[in-house]
Amino acid sequence: MTEKENALRIIRFDRPERVVSGLPTFDLWYLGCNHEGYAGGGHHLPVGSKWTDIWGTEWHREHPGVMGFPRGHPLADLPRALAHYTWPDPDDERIIGPVYRTAAKRQGTDSFVTGSHRDTLWEKSYMLVGMENLMCWFHEEPGAVRELLHRVMDFQLGLARHYVELGVELVSLTDDLGAQERLLLSPALIGEFLLPEYRRLFAFYKSRGIMVGFHSCGHVEPLIGTFMDLGVDILNPLQASANDLEAIRRSSRGRMALHGGINSALMVSGPPDAIRREVEHRIRQLGQDGGYFCAPDQSMPWPDEHRRVLDRAIAEFGRYPLGEYANMNL
C-alpha cells in the first residue's frame, strides 16, 4: 500500500495498514500566505526586522526562534477604515503566480496536492483590526465586523477557485479558536459571525469532493460537533494539554480523522521512555479503526533523540491490527 493510499484509508477509517505521523503532500502557497509582503519580508528575517504583508499588517520579529507578531493593524479604526481600505486581489499575479509556478513543478501522483488557507478568517481579521479591537467591535459594530469577515472570505474563495483549477485534493484551513482552558470566543459569537462565512468556503470545496483539514490550537472540544457538521476531514493539532482526547475520539470516531495528540512539553523534556509510552497510548486510544495520524500537538525544534524515539515508537506500535486499548495511566 502506498503512503498516499494508506493516508486516504486513515482519513476514511477504511482498514489502513499502519499509523503514520502525517500525510504526503505537495503544497501550494500564495504570496502572503506566510505573512510576506510585495516587497519581501517574512519570519525568516533576523530579530529586530519589521515588514508589511500584502494586507497592510505590520509585523515585528522580536524573539529568536519565534515567528513575528502583528503590531500594526490597517483596520484598527474598523468602521471608518473599511471605506478606504484596498483589499488584496486573489487574481493578482504577484499573489497567485507562485501557486501556478509551484504546481507546474509537480512530478508524480504519490502526494496530495494541497492548497493553504492560512489565517482563514478569525486570525486574518484580528491581524487586520487588532485582537482587542475586534473583540470590542463584535459588540459595538457588528455590521462592520460582518463586512470585514465577508471580505476576508471573498479573498479565500478567490484563492479556492485557483486551487480547484490546479486540481487540489486537500486544503488546509487554519484559525486558532482555543485558549488553554476555553474558547477565545463564545460559541454564540462563533455561530453568529464565523460559521456563516466558514460555510461558504466549505460548501465550495465539499461540493467538489475536496477534503478539508482544519488547524486550531487550544481547547476546541465544544466545537467538535461544529467541525464535523461543516465537513472537516482532519482536525489538527489536537492539543493534549487542553482537551479531553478520549471524549473527542468518542464523538468523532468514524466521522473525522485526528492529527496530533502527542504532548509538546513531553517532546521537549522527555524522557524518551515517557515519549514512547505516550505514543503507544495515543495510537491505541485514538487509532483503533483508523482516523489517526500520530504527531506532536505543536511544531517546535524537538531534540533529535526525542524525534527519533517518536518515529520508532510509531513504527513499533502503529501496525494494524492494533493492540487492545487500555486507559493507561501516564
Side-chain angles (χ1 to χ4, degrees):
M1 191 177 294
T2 67
E3 189 177 357
K4 183 177 179 180
E5 181 182 357
N6 185 70
L8 192 58
R9 284 175 176 258
I10 290 173
I11 296 166
R12 293 175 174 171
F13 294 81
D14 182 25
R15 303 184 305 279
E17 284 184 345
R18 58 198 179 276
V19 176
V20 293
S21 61
L23 295 80
T25 60
F26 181 86
D27 299 316
L28 304 179
W29 306 86
Y30 62 93
L31 178 73
C33 185
N34 295 308
H35 313 133
E36 310 93 341
Y38 298 117
H43 303 294
H44 63 284
L45 295 176
V47 171
S49 298
K50 299 179 182 179
W51 70 95
T52 300
D53 69 15
I54 65 169
W55 297 80
T57 298
E58 183 179 298
W59 291 82
H60 295 191
R61 181 83 191 282
E62 299 173 2
H63 304 288
V66 180
M67 65 178 281
F69 291 89
R71 296 301 190 195
H73 310 290
L75 294 177
D77 187 13
L78 179 60
R80 285 177 288 276
L82 274 174
H84 309 289
Y85 180 69
T86 301
W87 296 89
D89 181 357
D91 297 325
D92 186 326
E93 169 61 24
R94 295 173 297 173
I95 293 174
I96 203 62
V99 173
Y100 283 85
R101 290 192 290 273
T102 300
K105 299 175 183 177
R106 187 186 185 218
Q107 297 179 348
T109 59
D110 292 336
S111 300
F112 296 97
V113 181
T114 304
S116 176
H117 291 277
R118 186 174 183 180
D119 313 323
T120 306
L121 183 63
W122 153 246
E123 289 189 299
K124 182 55 64 187
S125 296
Y126 77 64
M127 290 170 185
L128 288 169
V129 176
M131 185 180 289
E132 291 183 7
N133 294 334
L134 186 53
M135 294 287 197
C136 294
W137 296 133
F138 276 121
H139 301 281
E140 296 176 6
E141 295 286 349
V145 171
R146 289 190 180 92
E147 181 179 351
L148 167 71
L149 295 169
H150 196 78
R151 295 298 298 269
V152 169
M153 191 56 78
D154 282 347
F155 177 86
Q156 302 294 1
L157 282 162
L159 289 177
R161 287 188 282 274
H162 288 286
Y163 286 151
V164 167
E165 182 178 335
L166 291 167
V168 297
E169 302 160 275
L170 170 72
V171 291
S172 172
L173 281 57
T174 73
D175 264 334
D176 287 340
L177 298 169
Q180 187 64 25
E181 297 180 347
R182 57 185 56 85
L183 296 172
L184 286 169
L185 301 173
S186 72
L189 281 178
I190 291 171
E192 180 180 354
F193 289 93
L194 301 187
L195 281 186
E197 297 301 331
Y198 283 139
R199 288 191 184 104
R200 295 173 65 203
L201 189 58
F202 272 90
F204 180 86
Y205 281 128
K206 303 311 282 190
S207 68
R208 292 161 174 79
I210 294 169
M211 295 181 294
V212 179
F214 196 101
H215 166 96
S216 179
C217 294
H219 178 73
V220 294
E221 272 182 70
L223 298 178
I224 297 302
T226 299
F227 290 145
M228 291 189 291
D229 289 344
L230 282 170
V232 172
D233 295 285
I234 309 164
L235 178 64
N236 161 278
L238 203 62
Q239 193 170 325
S241 61
N243 297 283
D244 181 344
L245 303 193
E246 189 88 23
I248 289 176
R249 179 74 292 171
R250 281 197 303 270
S251 61
S252 65
R253 193 168 184 173
R255 297 182 60 191
M256 181 174 68
L258 305 174
H259 182 192
I262 301 299
N263 190 296
S264 295
L266 180 62
M267 285 294 298
V268 170
S269 63
D273 283 349
I275 296 171
R276 184 175 179 276
R277 288 196 301 272
E278 171 130 325
V279 169
E280 179 184 11
H281 173 58
R282 295 302 180 206
I283 285 175
R284 294 184 179 182
Q285 178 190 42
L286 303 175
Q288 285 296 325
D289 306 317
Y292 180 52
F293 297 91
C294 183
D297 60 15
Q298 298 295 330
S299 296
M300 296 181 184
W302 317 115
D304 290 342
E305 179 190 5
H306 294 176
R307 182 75 232 191
R308 288 192 294 270
V309 169
L310 176 83
D311 292 340
R312 287 196 298 266
I314 293 172
E316 178 181 355
F317 299 114
R319 286 280 173 179
Y320 286 95
L322 303 179
E324 265 196 54
Y325 171 60
N327 195 351
M328 300 156 58
N329 182 9
L330 298 179

